[in-house]
Amino acid sequence: MNLTTILNNRYSVKEFDATKKISEADFQQVKDVLRLSPSSVNLQPWHFLIADTAAGKERIAKGTQGFFHFNTPKVLDASHVIVIAARTNADDAYMNSILEQEDKDGRFAAQQFKDQMHGGRMLFADIHKYDLKDLPHWMEK
């Protein structure tokens, strides 16, 4: 797969064939790309909700009611639907949970590297929280 070729030939889909389903192997690639998506200072402030069943897509389609009703058939007919839920705040508990998971995963060879990572991450978060006052916007990136 050549991503540049794919992106140069992409288009916005307006209708889906409800009888067609993305293969599990192909969709696994999509999930891998989502899982490996980079974020500033490795915050990864998002969760991906994936629906590939009629019941799951119907639950998501509830969000298209009202003004966005024209999207209901797209949600219901698509092979898979991905909802991106983004965190808008990075409190100390969240920052520490990331650090502890990285430590558990063996990312730090020594305590000093863990401390440096935490200090650097907090430095950037504090710049966006207190100086630039754009923490939610920064976390989207």
Side-chain angles (χ1 to χ4, degrees):
M1 173 179 359
N2 182 316
L3 289 177
T4 303
T5 301
I6 290 169
L7 292 174
N8 278 325
N9 294 303
R10 70 170 178 77
Y11 59 94
S12 296
V13 177
K14 303 298 182 199
E15 292 183 31
F16 296 97
D17 183 343
T19 65
K20 293 188 177 181
K21 194 85 165 160
I22 298 171
S23 74
E24 188 58 39
D26 286 345
F27 199 74
Q28 184 59 51
Q29 289 184 55
V30 173
K31 291 192 288 187
D32 290 343
V33 168
L34 292 173
R35 184 178 56 83
L36 296 170
S37 298
S39 62
S40 185
V41 297
N42 202 30
L43 279 181
Q44 299 172 335
W46 46 63
H47 291 282
F48 302 102
L49 305 156
I50 300 169
D52 64 349
T53 65
K57 291 185 282 186
E58 286 170 14
R59 288 182 68 189
I60 292 171
K62 290 178 183 178
T64 65
Q65 295 173 354
F67 181 77
F68 298 102
H69 68 278
F70 53 86
N71 286 320
T72 302
K74 297 173 192 172
V75 171
L76 297 176
D77 293 343
S79 172
H80 293 69
V81 178
I82 303 169
V83 175
I84 302 170
R87 179 179 282 278
T88 59
N89 190 14
D91 60 14
D92 289 339
Y94 181 68
M95 296 298 234
N96 287 325
S97 71
I98 294 170
L99 189 68
E100 292 310 314
Q101 184 61 53
E102 290 170 332
D103 193 23
K104 183 177 158 186
D105 292 343
R107 183 163 183 180
F108 310 114
Q111 181 65 39
Q112 72 186 57
F113 302 126
K114 181 179 177 180
D115 295 342
Q116 288 171 350
M117 173 58 85
H118 184 65
R121 184 176 283 141
M122 294 306 293
L123 173 75
F124 280 102
D126 287 348
I127 287 170
H128 290 280
K129 186 185 277 184
Y130 300 115
D131 298 336
L132 300 175
K133 298 182 180 3
D134 69 345
L135 185 68
H137 177 71
W138 173 67
M139 291 180 62
E140 291 174 355
K141 298 177 185 176

